[in-house]
Coordinates of all heavy atoms in Angstrom, one line a residue:
N574 N 7.1 -35.4 72.9 CA 7.9 -35.6 71.7 C 8.2 -34.3 71.1 O 7.5 -33.3 71.2 CB 7.2 -36.6 70.8 CG 5.8 -36.1 70.4 OD1 5.6 -35.5 69.4 ND2 4.8 -36.5 71.2
Y575 N 9.3 -34.3 70.3 CA 9.8 -33.1 69.7 C 10.5 -33.4 68.4 O 11.2 -34.5 68.3 CB 10.8 -32.4 70.7 CG 11.3 -31.0 70.2 CD1 10.6 -29.9 70.3 CD2 12.6 -30.9 69.5 CE1 11.0 -28.7 69.9 CE2 13.0 -29.7 69.1 CZ 12.3 -28.6 69.3 OH 12.7 -27.4 68.8
G576 N 10.4 -32.5 67.4 CA 11.1 -32.7 66.1 C 11.0 -31.5 65.2 O 11.0 -30.4 65.7
S577 N 10.8 -31.8 63.9 CA 10.7 -30.7 63.0 C 9.5 -30.9 62.0 O 8.9 -32.0 61.9 CB 12.0 -30.7 62.1 OG 12.1 -31.9 61.4
S578 N 9.1 -29.8 61.3 CA 8.0 -29.9 60.5 C 8.2 -29.1 59.2 O 9.1 -28.1 59.2 CB 6.7 -29.4 61.2 OG 6.8 -28.0 61.5
K579 N 7.5 -29.4 58.2 CA 7.6 -28.6 56.9 C 6.3 -28.7 56.2 O 5.6 -29.8 56.2 CB 8.7 -29.2 56.0 CG 9.0 -28.5 54.8 CD 10.1 -29.1 54.0 CE 10.4 -28.3 52.7 NZ 11.6 -28.9 52.0
G580 N 5.8 -27.6 55.6 CA 4.5 -27.7 55.0 C 4.2 -26.5 54.0 O 5.1 -25.6 53.9
Q581 N 3.1 -26.6 53.4 CA 2.7 -25.5 52.4 C 1.2 -25.4 52.4 O 0.4 -26.4 52.5 CB 3.2 -25.9 51.0 CG 2.9 -24.8 50.0 CD 3.4 -25.3 48.6 OE1 2.7 -26.0 47.9 NE2 4.6 -24.8 48.2
L582 N 0.7 -24.1 52.3 CA -0.7 -23.8 52.0 C -0.8 -23.1 50.7 O 0.1 -22.2 50.4 CB -1.2 -22.9 53.2 CG -1.4 -23.6 54.5 CD1 -1.9 -22.5 55.5 CD2 -2.4 -24.7 54.5
T583 N -1.8 -23.4 49.9 CA -2.0 -22.7 48.6 C -3.4 -22.3 48.5 O -4.3 -22.9 49.1 CB -1.6 -23.6 47.4 OG1 -2.4 -24.7 47.4 CG2 -0.1 -24.0 47.5
G584 N -3.6 -21.2 47.8 CA -5.0 -20.7 47.6 C -5.1 -20.0 46.2 O -4.2 -19.4 45.7
S585 N -6.3 -20.2 45.6 CA -6.5 -19.6 44.2 C -7.5 -18.5 44.3 O -8.6 -18.7 44.9 CB -6.9 -20.7 43.3 OG -5.9 -21.7 43.1
K586 N -7.2 -17.4 43.7 CA -8.2 -16.3 43.7 C -7.6 -15.2 42.7 O -6.4 -14.9 42.7 CB -8.4 -15.6 45.0 CG -9.4 -14.5 45.0 CD -9.7 -14.0 46.4 CE -10.8 -13.0 46.4 NZ -11.2 -12.5 47.7
V587 N -8.5 -14.8 41.8 CA -8.1 -13.7 40.9 C -8.1 -12.4 41.6 O -9.1 -12.0 42.2 CB -9.0 -13.7 39.7 CG1 -8.6 -12.5 38.7 CG2 -9.0 -15.0 38.9
M588 N -6.9 -11.7 41.6 CA -6.8 -10.4 42.3 C -6.0 -9.4 41.5 O -5.1 -9.7 40.7 CB -6.0 -10.7 43.6 CG -6.6 -11.6 44.6 SD -5.6 -11.9 46.1 CE -4.4 -13.0 45.4
N589 N -6.4 -8.1 41.6 CA -5.7 -7.1 40.9 C -4.5 -6.7 41.8 O -4.3 -7.2 42.9 CB -6.6 -5.9 40.6 CG -7.2 -5.3 41.9 OD1 -6.6 -5.2 42.9 ND2 -8.5 -4.8 41.8
A590 N -3.7 -5.7 41.3 CA -2.5 -5.4 42.0 C -2.7 -4.9 43.4 O -2.0 -5.2 44.4 CB -1.7 -4.3 41.2
M591 N -3.8 -4.1 43.6 CA -4.1 -3.5 44.9 C -4.5 -4.6 45.9 O -4.1 -4.7 47.1 CB -5.1 -2.4 44.8 CG -4.7 -1.2 44.1 SD -6.0 0.1 44.0 CE -6.1 0.5 45.8
E592 N -5.3 -5.6 45.4 CA -5.7 -6.7 46.2 C -4.6 -7.6 46.6 O -4.5 -8.1 47.8 CB -6.8 -7.5 45.5 CG -8.1 -6.7 45.4 CD -9.1 -7.5 44.5 OE1 -8.7 -8.2 43.5 OE2 -10.3 -7.4 44.8
Q593 N -3.7 -7.7 45.7 CA -2.5 -8.6 46.0 C -1.7 -7.9 47.1 O -1.2 -8.6 48.0 CB -1.6 -8.7 44.8 CG -2.2 -9.5 43.6 CD -1.4 -9.5 42.4 OE1 -0.1 -9.7 42.4 NE2 -2.0 -9.2 41.2
Q594 N -1.5 -6.6 47.1 CA -0.7 -5.9 48.1 C -1.5 -6.0 49.5 O -0.9 -6.1 50.5 CB -0.5 -4.5 47.7 CG 0.5 -3.7 48.7 CD 1.8 -4.4 48.8 OE1 2.4 -4.8 47.8 NE2 2.3 -4.6 50.0
D595 N -2.8 -5.9 49.4 CA -3.6 -6.0 50.7 C -3.4 -7.4 51.3 O -3.2 -7.5 52.5 CB -5.1 -5.8 50.4 CG -5.4 -4.4 50.0 OD1 -4.6 -3.5 50.4 OD2 -6.4 -4.2 49.2
L596 N -3.3 -8.4 50.5 CA -3.1 -9.7 51.0 C -1.7 -9.9 51.6 O -1.5 -10.5 52.6 CB -3.4 -10.8 50.0 CG -3.2 -12.3 50.4 CD1 -4.0 -12.6 51.6 CD2 -3.6 -13.2 49.2
R597 N -0.7 -9.3 50.8 CA 0.7 -9.4 51.3 C 0.8 -8.7 52.7 O 1.5 -9.2 53.6 CB 1.6 -8.7 50.3 CG 1.8 -9.4 49.0 CD 2.9 -8.8 48.2 NE 3.0 -9.3 46.8 CZ 2.4 -8.8 45.8 NH1 1.8 -7.6 45.9 NH2 2.5 -9.4 44.6
D598 N 0.1 -7.6 52.9 CA 0.2 -6.9 54.2 C -0.4 -7.8 55.3 O 0.1 -7.8 56.4 CB -0.6 -5.6 54.1 CG 0.1 -4.5 53.1 OD1 1.3 -4.7 52.9 OD2 -0.6 -3.6 52.7
E599 N -1.5 -8.5 54.9 CA -2.1 -9.4 55.9 C -1.2 -10.5 56.3 O -1.0 -10.8 57.5 CB -3.4 -9.9 55.4 CG -4.2 -10.9 56.3 CD -4.7 -10.2 57.6 OE1 -4.9 -8.9 57.5 OE2 -4.8 -10.8 58.6

Side-chain angles (χ1 to χ4, degrees):
N574 55 92
Y575 183 82
S577 63
S578 66
K579 184 177 182 180
Q581 183 182 81
L582 292 175
T583 61
S585 298
K586 184 175 183 177
V587 177
M588 296 177 287
N589 60 37
M591 294 183 64
E592 291 174 325
Q593 293 174 46
Q594 188 56 49
D595 292 334
L596 179 56
R597 289 190 188 99
D598 293 341
E599 180 67 27

